[in-house]
Amino acid sequence: MDSSESWEGEDISNSSQHASFSPWVALLAIGAVGLLGAWSPMSPLALDAGDLALGQGRPEDALVQYDRVADATPFQEIERAALRRAARVAAVDLDNPTEARLRLRRLARAFPDESAEALERIGDLWLDESRQPVKAAEAYKRAHEADPTHTDAARRLMKAARAWSDAGQLSRSRTLWEKAATEYPGSRVEGLLGLAEAQLAAGDAQAALTTYEEAAELTADPTLGSYAKLGAAACLERLGNLDGALAELDLADLPEDVFISRRQAMMDRQAETW
C-alpha cells in the first residue's frame, strides 16, 4: 500500500471513531467550559456563585466567592458589585463589622463616587456594632467631606455631630452643628436643635435657650416645633424660671398625659430645691 492509501485509511479510521464519540465528547467539553466559565471569578456570571451560596445558607462561602471575584474580575462594575455584596454579607449575615469595614474601605478607595456612602456605612458599623462613637464621628465627617454637595451631606455632617456628642466631645459637636445650620439652609432647624442640645449638655442653658427659641421661630414642622419648645422649657427650668418653663411646656402641644407627667416632674424638682 502506498503512502497515499495509508493516509486515506488512517483518515477513515479516525473519522469512524469521531462518528462514534464526538457528540458525547463535544457535550462534555461544552459543559465543562460552561461550568468553569460560570464559576470562574473572572466570569461576568461569577457573582451568581456567591448569590447561590448565600441563598443556600452558606454566607462564609459567599464571602469567599465575592472576594475572589473582586480580586480577579477585569470589569470594574463587577468588582464594585462584589465589594458591595461582600460588605453586606460580612456585616449582616456574618455579623462581622471588622470584615465589613475592610471591604467598604476598599470600595471607597477603588471607586471615589462610592466613597461618601461607603464611609457613612463604616461610621454606622463603628457606632451600631462596635459602640465606638469617636471612630464613627471621624468616618461620618470624612463621608461628608468626600461629597459636601450631595443631598445627604448635611445628614452625614449631623451624624458626625451627634456621634461626637455621644463621645462627650461637646465642643466638636457644637462646631459641626453650627456648620450644618449655617451651610445647609434646608437643615437649619435640625442643626439649631442639635446645637442647642449640645449647648445645654455643656451647661450653657442661656445660649441653648436662645438657640431653641430661634429654631421654634423658624420651623413650621409641628414635631420640630414641639421639640424646640420642650428644649426651651428645660433651659428655663435650669435657669430657675419655673413659670416660664411651664408656659413653654404648655406651648409644646404634647399629649395630655405626657404634659401632665412632665409638668408634675418639673414642679417636684422645683420643690426639692427648697
Side-chain angles (χ1 to χ4, degrees), residues 9 21 34 44 49 67 72 95 102 113 116-117 120 141 146 156 164 211 214 230 246 266 274:
F21 297 103
D67 284 343
D95 192 24
L102 288 174
D113 61 315
E117 181 179 352
E120 182 181 4
K141 188 170 184 293
R156 289 167 180 154
W164 278 128
T211 307
E214 181 180 356
L230 282 173
L246 292 174
M266 279 187 179
W274 288 90

Side-chain angles (χ1 to χ4, degrees), residues 54-262:
L54 188 60
Q56 292 175 340
R58 296 182 289 113
E60 296 89 352
D61 294 340
L63 182 60
V64 169
Q65 178 65 9
Y66 293 143
D67 284 343
R68 291 176 65 221
V69 173
D71 289 339
T73 182
F75 305 106
Q76 281 196 330
E77 288 309 306
I78 293 178
E79 179 186 1
R80 185 196 300 262
L83 290 171
R84 283 177 177 170
R85 296 183 197 188
R88 184 175 63 249
V89 168
V92 178
D93 299 277
L94 297 177
D95 192 24
N96 192 330
T98 299
E99 292 297 321
R101 285 192 294 268
L102 288 174
R103 276 72 180 180
L104 289 169
R105 289 191 190 102
R106 178 174 169 183
L107 183 66
R109 288 193 301 268
F111 302 96
D113 61 315
E114 294 270 359
S115 182
E117 181 179 352
L119 288 166
E120 182 181 4
R121 290 171 63 192
I122 289 172
D124 291 341
L125 289 169
W126 278 124
L127 192 63
D128 299 336
E129 304 296 332
S130 302
R131 304 294 186 269
Q132 297 199 42
V134 170
K135 290 186 176 180
E138 291 169 347
Y140 290 140
K141 188 170 184 293
R142 288 180 61 203
H144 166 262
E145 291 169 348
D147 193 352
T149 61
H150 193 277
T151 54
D152 290 328
R155 179 176 58 77
R156 289 167 180 154
L157 187 62
M158 291 189 288
K159 288 175 79 170
R162 193 168 292 111
W164 278 128
S165 181
D166 291 344
Q169 301 283 341
L170 297 179
S171 177
R172 289 182 174 181
S173 177
R174 289 197 302 272
T175 297
L176 295 188
W177 284 119
E178 289 172 352
K179 184 179 178 69
T182 302
E183 297 185 7
Y184 297 93
S187 298
R188 179 162 180 77
V189 172
E190 291 177 83
L192 288 171
L193 290 174
L195 173 60
E197 186 176 333
Q199 289 169 330
L200 186 59
D204 194 347
Q206 187 59 61
L209 175 61
T210 300
T211 307
Y212 276 127
E213 288 175 341
E214 181 180 356
E217 290 175 2
L218 289 175
T219 186
D221 184 299
T223 300
L224 295 180
S226 292
Y227 188 87
K229 291 296 183 182
L230 282 173
C235 293
L236 287 165
E237 184 184 6
R238 291 270 190 97
L239 293 168
N241 186 346
L242 181 61
D243 290 340
L246 292 174
E248 290 290 346
L249 190 65
D250 188 47
L251 293 173
D253 194 26
L254 298 171
E256 185 175 359
D257 57 336
V258 176
F259 169 75
I260 292 173
S261 175
R262 287 181 177 266

Side-chain angles (χ1 to χ4, degrees), residues 266-274:
M266 279 187 179
M267 296 178 70
D268 290 344
R269 285 193 293 269
Q270 181 71 12
E272 289 174 0
T273 63
W274 288 90

